[in-house]
């Protein structure tokens, strides 16, 4: 499959990822074998395109743990177990803070404080990153306004935006609603975008960026 294909007057390249499950070690019926081969295929994709992987019993455990983590994330979102930490942005000459970057943490009732490295990938894969990101955006703007009322000389707060959030057609409208609801000055909000999310539909990306700029958001 790695050899080029001539299709519709152009040359196309594809890769294959292969997951392998064998009878009877990995299952004694077709459904079980296909399910285990599918698990192995995803492991092959994690290693990089164009590779293969054989099913291992521990993959079942990993799938169950992932499903449990997804369920716990839904509870965390419902019960607001997430907390925001703020990394100060300072002027080197004076050491005075002029803003902050938002960092999310999960205060798990059993595991304690959980790093985003452990739950953000699952949130992105399941789509939970969208409601989580919405919660972060609103809470960050509310916190900024609280600091403003306290007289802290901060001019900007920086919030990371996920690909799934940015690609939603109502994302700009959501940002506008949050600004209006919290009283947040648009020039005080900075959205951090990764390069990968800007490489999708160029027209849609340009339109969203123009609309955000029109709001006064950087």
């Amino acid at each position: 499959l790695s050899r080029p294909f001539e299709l519709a007057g152009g040359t196309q390249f594809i890769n294959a990822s292969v997951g392998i499950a064998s009878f009877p070690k990995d299952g004694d019926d077709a459904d079980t074998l296909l399910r285990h081969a599918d698990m192995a295929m995803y492991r092959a994709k994690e290693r990089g395109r164009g590779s293969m992987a054989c099913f291992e019993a521990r993959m079942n455990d990993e799938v169950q743990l992932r499903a449990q983590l997804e369920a716990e994330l839904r509870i965390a979102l419902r019960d607001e177990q997430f907390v925001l930490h703020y990394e100060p942005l300072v002027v080197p000459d004076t050491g005075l803070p002029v803003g902050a970057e938002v960092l999310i943490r999960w205060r798990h009732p059993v595991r304690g404080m959980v790093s985003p490295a452990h739950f953000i990938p699952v949130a992105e894969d399941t789509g939970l990153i969208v409601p989580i990101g919405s919660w972060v955006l609103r809470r960050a703007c509310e916190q900024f306004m609280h600091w403003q009322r306290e007289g802290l000389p901060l001019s900007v707060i920086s919030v990371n935006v996920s690909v799934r959030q940015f690609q939603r057609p109502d994302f700009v409208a959501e940002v506008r609603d949050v600004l209006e609801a919290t009283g947040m000055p648009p020039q005080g909000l900075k959205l951090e975008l990764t390069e990968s999310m800007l490489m999708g539909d160029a027209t849609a990306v340009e339109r969203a960026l123009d609309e955000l700029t029109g709001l006064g958001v950087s």
Side-chain angles (χ1 to χ4, degrees), residues 6-126:
E6 298 298 326
L7 295 174
T11 303
Q12 307 294 330
F13 295 86
I14 63 173
N15 288 312
S17 298
V18 180
I20 300 170
S22 60
F23 172 88
K25 178 175 69 70
D26 300 326
D28 55 9
D29 62 81
D31 288 342
T32 302
L33 286 169
L34 286 171
R35 186 173 68 254
H36 289 171
D38 196 47
M39 291 181 189
M41 180 195 64
Y42 280 103
R43 178 56 54 83
K45 286 184 176 181
E46 291 173 0
R47 295 175 179 172
R49 301 288 179 176
S51 62
M52 55 155 284
C54 294
F55 175 78
E56 300 175 14
R58 61 187 176 87
M59 292 181 184
N60 255 331
D61 296 333
E62 293 173 359
V63 169
Q64 292 175 6
L65 287 173
R66 186 180 181 86
Q68 179 182 348
L69 182 59
E70 179 183 350
E72 291 180 351
L73 275 174
R74 294 184 184 278
I75 294 173
L77 187 60
R78 182 196 67 191
D79 296 347
E80 293 198 4
Q81 295 173 3
F82 298 110
V83 294
L84 299 184
H85 290 182
Y86 298 89
E87 185 173 75
L89 306 173
V90 302
V91 178
D93 292 342
T94 64
L96 295 176
V98 293
E101 180 176 0
V102 178
L103 306 173
I104 187 172
R105 297 292 185 269
W106 179 8
R107 187 185 288 124
H108 194 282
V110 176
R111 304 175 195 169
M113 204 66 77
V114 181
S115 165
H118 294 293
F119 66 87
I120 290 297
V122 176
E124 289 178 339
D125 289 345
T126 59

Side-chain angles (χ1 to χ4, degrees), residues 103-216:
L103 306 173
I104 187 172
R105 297 292 185 269
W106 179 8
R107 187 185 288 124
H108 194 282
V110 176
R111 304 175 195 169
M113 204 66 77
V114 181
S115 165
H118 294 293
F119 66 87
I120 290 297
V122 176
E124 289 178 339
D125 289 345
T126 59
L128 286 171
I129 194 67
V130 173
I132 290 174
S134 297
W135 180 86
V136 170
L137 178 62
R138 180 172 291 271
R139 289 294 182 272
C141 290
E142 290 173 347
Q143 182 63 57
F144 182 88
M145 294 308 297
H146 173 73
W147 285 331
Q148 290 284 300
R149 290 190 293 271
E150 292 291 315
L152 295 180
L154 303 181
S155 59
V156 66
I157 194 163
S158 178
V159 180
N160 290 306
V161 176
S162 74
V163 174
R164 283 181 178 262
Q165 275 181 284
F166 187 74
Q167 290 177 341
R168 287 176 62 89
D170 60 347
F171 175 67
V172 176
E174 179 187 357
V175 173
R176 183 187 299 110
D177 290 345
V178 169
L179 293 174
E180 292 177 354
T182 61
M184 175 82 178
Q187 64 272 18
L189 178 61
K190 180 179 180 181
L191 300 177
E192 296 281 353
L193 310 174
T194 62
E195 291 84 352
S196 60
M197 75 173 62
L198 303 179
M199 295 174 66
D201 182 343
T203 301
V205 168
E206 184 175 0
R207 182 171 60 249
L209 291 177
D210 286 345
E211 291 176 357
L212 288 169
T213 302
L215 292 178

